[in-house]
Structures are given as C-alpha cells and as structure tokens.
Amino acid sequence: MQDVFRLRDIFAPHEGRRRDDLVRHNRRLIHYTSAAAAVSIIRNGRVWMRNVRCMNDFMEVEHGFQLLQRSFSPPVDSETEKGLRAVGAALDAVFPGLTEDSIKWFDGWLFQLRNKTYVTCLSEHDSSENDYGRLSMWRSYTANQVGVGLVINPLPLYSLSDTFGAFSSPVYYFNDNDLRDLFLEIANNISTNKDFLQSKGREEIKGYFCMLLRAVAMCTKHPGFLEEKEWRIMHTEKLDEKGTLELDVECIAGIPQPVYKIPLQDHAPSGMTGISIPDLLEHVLIGPTQFPIPVWDAIVIELEKAGVEDAESKVSYSNIPLRT
C-alpha cells in the first residue's frame, strides 16, 4: 500500500493534494440534483451515471482532451506540450519507448473515452455552506425545478476501483500554463525516483502514466469553472470492468439513453463499505423553493423508509431568498 501512495504522489501529485486537503479540512461532498432525482436515489439506493455526451455542456469534458491532443500533434508547441515532452524524456530514461507506447494506448482508447464514458458529478462542500448551499450550483443544476443537495461522507470514494466498476477523481481547472507546470513537476518526480520506478516494472509504470493521461483528459475543465470544486465518479465501457454497476436504459427529457447505476450497498469483494444510504448520506439540503415544507416532508419520509435514523434532523432547506 505504501508503494501505491508513493506512485500516486509521483504521477498524480495534484490529486494527492486535493484528496489530502479534503480530509485535512473535514470537507464533505455534495451532489446537487433535482428533488425528484434525490427521491429516486434514496428510494432505490441507486446513483445514475450518465454518458458524457448527455451532460449539460459536453464542452465540460472537451477542454482536457483539447489540451492534450494539441500536445500530441506538433508543431503546435503549446505550453502543455513543453511539459509533456519533459515527462516523456524522464519516462524514456527509465523505460525506453514507454512514452510512445502510452500515447498510442491513449489514441487507441480515445473514442471510448470521449463517447462511452459515464459520470456522476459531486462538488466539495464546506461547513460554511451548510445553511445555504452554493447559489451558483442551485442556478446551474436545478433550473425550473426544486433543487436538492445530498451531502455525503467522502471517505468511501477513496476505495472506488475497477473491481467496483468506477473510480473517482477531483476535477482540475487548468489552462495551458497550469498543465505545463504540473507535467514539469511530474517529470522531476520521475527523475528523482528513477530507481524505484525501475523496480516496479515497465507495465505497471505504463499503467500509471496512462491513468494520468486519462485523468487529465477526462477531469480538466476551464479555469472559469473553478468555484464548482467538482469531483467525478467515472466508468468507461470496455476499458473498466463493469464490477457492481448495473446497465439500464432510462428516458430522460424524452431521450432514451443507457445509464449505469451505482448500487449504494456494501460490496466486500472490492472492499467498498459505508456506501449504504444510512451510512453514506449525512445531510439533505433543499434548495430555494416555493414549496419547502412539502419537499421537506417528502424527503424525511423517504429517508425513514431507507432506514435513516432521526431523519428529521438530517434535512434542512436553504434560506437563500427565492427570486420569482
């Protein structure tokens, strides 16, 4: 396990910092959604993962792809490319030809990553937001319907893996310069830990570098979205094991589409515990609405049916004044 953390810190220091920061400041994660979707999640014990092509704005997942692909197609000579070249040189000094093999892997999976990836989105939730939630998120994700925020304990997400069917990652708000600086840091990490990386073997190191490319492509957004502080749970068909995920078809806004559903129940084979509704869900925050009391009553009833103790104390509504 110690080696796993060391490899993470070499190839994904940015992810380690975000995860450590979440724990250090005792932040929670919150899933902003509609009240109807929240009732469905609590009642059925399932969270839906939708295709990235069906997201509110597909360009949310194109930013990272564009930054990387410009770097793979010289002579663009972007800032990201400068950093990526440094990583490639450091890797090839450990295992010659590994960089080219990894980029070929990425190119070979590009269609699946872009078109067959399913996600569910969460946001970091600070204690200062307990009474209000985040106004920008209410506006973005609950337009024309009652919004609800499901506040959860983030620790079980650390155990997500391919054997469970999905993995989690923070979202990064990088421009060309930011990504260059990250790659330069990773290049230095690789050079500093050359002997250790050689001891792990070519295929394992290739796997970590490929995961870095995948995470940068799938979890990099424009810096203008920084206030969202987003995290994603993701699954890519054929690349990831199906694990415990359930594939179904749902009609959403009149559009039939495949949906992967995450069962919120412990799964011993993958080491996932603490993800049942009573264990995972800490609080439900109802967004600005004309109908706070009926929505509060409905959520409390569903929580009690799901086995949540003292459900009434775990539901509140945002006191942001409603604009009509």
Side-chain angles (χ1 to χ4, degrees), residues 36 38 68 104 131 175 236 239 253-254 321:
L68 275 185
K104 285 180 179 178
D131 292 335
N175 58 27
T236 300
L239 179 57

Side-chain angles (χ1 to χ4, degrees), residues 79-309:
E79 293 303 310
T80 295
E81 184 185 349
K82 295 175 184 176
L84 193 56
R85 282 202 302 264
V87 173
L91 275 175
D92 290 343
V94 181
F95 295 109
L98 188 146
T99 303
E100 183 178 356
D101 288 349
S102 300
I103 291 175
K104 285 180 179 178
W105 176 93
F106 182 83
D107 286 339
W109 283 103
L110 188 58
F111 178 85
Q112 291 293 120
L113 291 170
R114 261 187 162 148
N115 298 281
K116 299 290 186 176
T117 295
Y118 294 76
V119 302
T120 192
C121 302
L122 304 104
S123 184
E124 291 184 20
H125 180 78
D126 194 80
S127 59
S128 64
E129 298 174 307
N130 285 343
D131 292 335
Y132 308 108
R134 197 174 308 154
L135 182 58
S136 62
M137 300 299 283
W138 294 130
R139 287 172 170 167
S140 296
Y141 294 99
T142 60
N144 302 318
Q145 53 191 331
V146 179
V148 165
L150 302 176
V151 181
I152 67 169
N153 175 4
L155 291 180
L157 269 65
Y158 288 13
S159 302
L160 288 179
S161 64
D162 282 351
T163 55
F164 184 76
F167 71 96
S168 67
S169 175
V171 169
Y172 306 101
Y173 303 90
F174 290 153
N175 58 27
D176 250 347
N177 291 342
D178 297 327
L179 199 48
R180 174 204 62 205
D181 291 345
L182 172 64
F183 281 145
L184 290 175
E185 178 184 3
I186 292 170
N188 182 65
N189 291 344
I190 292 168
S191 298
T192 303
N193 292 274
K194 182 177 179 180
D195 292 342
F196 169 69
L197 296 178
Q198 284 179 327
S199 73
K200 303 308 292 182
R202 181 187 181 93
E203 286 307 304
E204 184 170 0
I205 299 311
K206 177 183 173 182
Y208 272 89
F209 182 50
C210 289
M211 181 59 76
L212 170 66
L213 296 177
R214 178 185 182 184
V216 167
M218 297 299 306
C219 297
T220 302
K221 292 176 70 170
H222 189 280
F225 294 105
L226 176 62
E227 69 170 12
E228 293 179 358
K229 303 175 186 175
E230 185 180 340
W231 286 63
R232 288 178 177 164
I233 301 174
M234 295 174 287
H235 170 83
T236 300
E237 283 185 345
K238 296 185 180 179
L239 179 57
D240 299 320
E241 294 181 24
K242 186 166 178 270
T244 65
L245 303 182
E246 302 166 356
L247 178 61
D248 209 342
V249 172
E250 298 285 351
C251 291
I252 303 170
I255 303 172
Q257 55 194 267
V259 172
Y260 279 89
K261 299 179 180 179
I262 304 173
L264 297 179
Q265 54 198 41
D266 292 349
H267 183 250
S270 63
M272 280 298 297
T273 60
I275 62 169
S276 66
I277 290 292
D279 292 332
L280 184 67
L281 188 60
E282 295 190 354
H283 190 75
V284 179
L285 182 61
I286 300 167
T289 174
Q290 294 173 282
F291 314 104
I293 295 177
V295 175
W296 186 90
D297 288 338
I299 296 292
V300 168
I301 289 170
E302 292 298 332
L303 288 176
E304 290 174 341
K305 288 181 181 178
V308 175
E309 296 182 1

Side-chain angles (χ1 to χ4, degrees), residues 45-91:
R46 299 291 186 275
V47 174
W48 294 7
M49 303 172 72
R50 296 180 62 193
N51 192 294
V52 291
R53 289 284 180 182
C54 298
M55 293 177 72
N56 293 341
D57 181 1
F58 176 61
M59 287 305 296
E60 288 190 7
V61 294
E62 273 297 289
H63 183 69
F65 281 110
Q66 290 176 357
L67 287 176
L68 275 185
Q69 284 192 289
R70 285 202 303 267
S71 304
F72 294 161
S73 305
V76 172
D77 197 31
S78 67
E79 293 303 310
T80 295
E81 184 185 349
K82 295 175 184 176
L84 193 56
R85 282 202 302 264
V87 173
L91 275 175

